[in-house]
Amino acid sequence: MRTMLLSFKPEWFNRIKDGSKIYEYRRTFPDEEIMAYMYVSSPMKMIVGKIHLGRKININTWKEQYREDDEVCARVDDFLTRHEYAMPVLSFQMTKEISLDELRKFNPKFVCPQMYYYLENYPDLFEYIKANAVDVGELQVNSFDSVAKEDICRKYY
C-alpha cells in the first residue's frame, strides 16, 4: 500500500475525527488503497493523524444506485460539480502533531501539498514523518456493512 501526505481543511479533518465523515471526496485520486498522513491547513498547519482510504468509487455509480431517490440524486449532482470520486475512510488514527515549523526545520524546502503527494518519492521526509507522527489514542474503524443513504454525498451544515 502506498503512502501519501494528503491535505485537508480543518473542518473536514474534524468531521473525519468525530466519525461523521466516512467518505473523502476528490476530483482525482489513484485507484488503490492508500495510507495517508493528514496535513491540516491554516490555522492548524500541521500533520495530526493518518487515514486508511479504500479504493475510489465513481460518484456516478451512486446516481444509478439511488435513481429512485430524488434527494440523494440531487446531492450526487451537486457533488459532481466539484468531485468525481469518493474514497471510503476505512480507519482514522490520531498521531502526535508535527507542525509546519518542525517540518521546515527538518527540511527548509518542505512544501505543503496542494492536494497530495506520495511520500515514497521523498524518502527522508517519509522516514521523519513515520518516526515523529506516532499513534495517539485508539484507532477508529468505520464499518461499511450498511451505509445509510444520508451518508451518500452528505452535506454538512
Side-chain angles (χ1 to χ4, degrees):
M1 181 177 346
R2 296 184 72 188
T3 305
M4 62 176 53
L5 185 58
L6 190 58
S7 189
F8 290 86
K9 292 182 179 175
E11 70 177 294
W12 303 127
F13 161 71
N14 288 326
R15 300 274 188 203
I16 290 170
K17 180 181 171 184
D18 73 17
S20 63
K21 185 176 191 302
I22 62 170
Y23 289 101
E24 174 58 19
Y25 297 91
R26 300 279 170 148
R27 183 163 295 285
T28 61
F29 208 75
D31 191 18
E32 61 185 316
E33 286 192 25
I34 295 289
M35 183 61 69
Y37 286 93
M38 302 175 75
Y39 178 84
V40 181
S41 60
S42 187
M44 294 176 74
K45 298 183 186 177
M46 61 181 66
I47 295 172
V48 296
K50 61 186 177 184
I51 56 176
H52 178 191
L53 297 171
R55 293 184 70 130
K56 68 183 180 183
I57 300 164
N58 188 310
I59 296 171
N60 278 300
T61 62
W62 285 336
K63 193 168 181 182
E64 176 62 25
Q65 181 179 351
Y66 292 95
R67 68 182 170 272
E68 304 295 324
D69 190 317
D70 292 341
E71 184 181 322
V72 173
C73 286
R75 288 197 315 263
V76 169
D77 284 340
D78 177 56
F79 269 59
L80 282 168
T81 64
R82 297 175 308 282
H83 312 290
E84 189 170 342
Y85 300 105
M87 286 66 62
V89 178
L90 301 176
S91 67
F92 165 76
Q93 176 71 56
M94 286 293 296
T95 64
K96 182 177 174 247
E97 298 170 351
I98 305 175
S99 71
L100 178 58
D101 288 342
E102 291 173 79
L103 290 162
R104 289 202 171 136
K105 280 180 191 168
F106 170 75
N107 179 350
K109 295 180 181 180
F110 174 80
V111 177
C112 307
Q114 290 296 312
M115 219 169 126
Y116 64 85
Y117 54 77
Y118 289 106
L119 285 170
E120 289 89 350
N121 295 338
Y122 305 92
D124 292 343
L125 177 62
F126 192 10
E127 289 304 315
Y128 178 81
I129 291 172
K130 280 196 299 189
N132 290 282
V134 295
D135 294 353
V136 174
E138 296 293 318
L139 176 69
Q140 298 174 23
V141 177
N142 292 319
S143 170
F144 292 86
D145 292 337
S146 60
V147 175
K149 68 179 187 176
E150 292 76 22
D151 289 322
I152 302 302
C153 296
R154 183 176 182 178
K155 292 192 174 205
Y156 297 93
Y157 301 100

